[in-house]
Amino acid sequence: MGKYDPLRRYLKKQKVETLELSFAEIELILRAMLPKGASLPEWWADGVERTSRQVQRDAWRSAGFHARLIIGKDRVRFERRR
């Protein structure tokens, strides 16, 4: 089981098109702290490069969502992919 699997499972259960979660809420779902890099937009943004740092993106992508950091609010907006 990967660190971000609980987030994937949580998002898969959602029926809404868009939802926002605070860092604290995400950490409760994960039962772990987010890394410092999570405060950077690129940590959440879809990218074409493949690195080990992107394991978190697989969680929301496989649940059918895009993620975007809401800068200055420690919140993330998840939007269902079309």
Side-chain angles (χ1 to χ4, degrees):
M1 180 169 115
K3 176 179 178 177
Y4 298 99
D5 286 348
L7 179 60
R8 178 186 50 77
R9 286 192 301 271
Y10 177 86
L11 291 171
K12 278 192 156 223
K13 292 179 183 177
Q14 303 307 305
K15 304 296 183 204
V16 296
E17 295 296 311
T18 302
L19 73 144
E20 289 185 12
L21 296 172
S22 68
F23 281 11
E25 291 169 319
I26 295 169
E27 290 172 342
L28 280 173
I29 293 165
L30 297 175
R31 295 184 183 192
M33 299 292 291
L34 287 167
K36 280 191 156 203
S39 63
L40 301 172
E42 56 269 17
W43 197 86
W44 299 96
D46 285 336
V48 293
E49 73 283 354
R50 295 292 302 166
T51 67
S52 60
R53 265 187 38 203
Q54 293 184 311
V55 295
Q56 76 279 7
R57 293 178 191 158
D58 291 339
W60 55 81
R61 285 179 180 165
S62 66
F65 285 85
H66 293 286
R68 184 171 50 110
L69 176 66
I70 302 171
I71 297 173
K73 301 216 179 198
D74 287 345
R75 293 184 69 78
V76 179
R77 177 174 290 135
F78 294 94
E79 296 178 352
R80 195 166 298 281
R81 293 167 52 172
R82 300 189 188 266

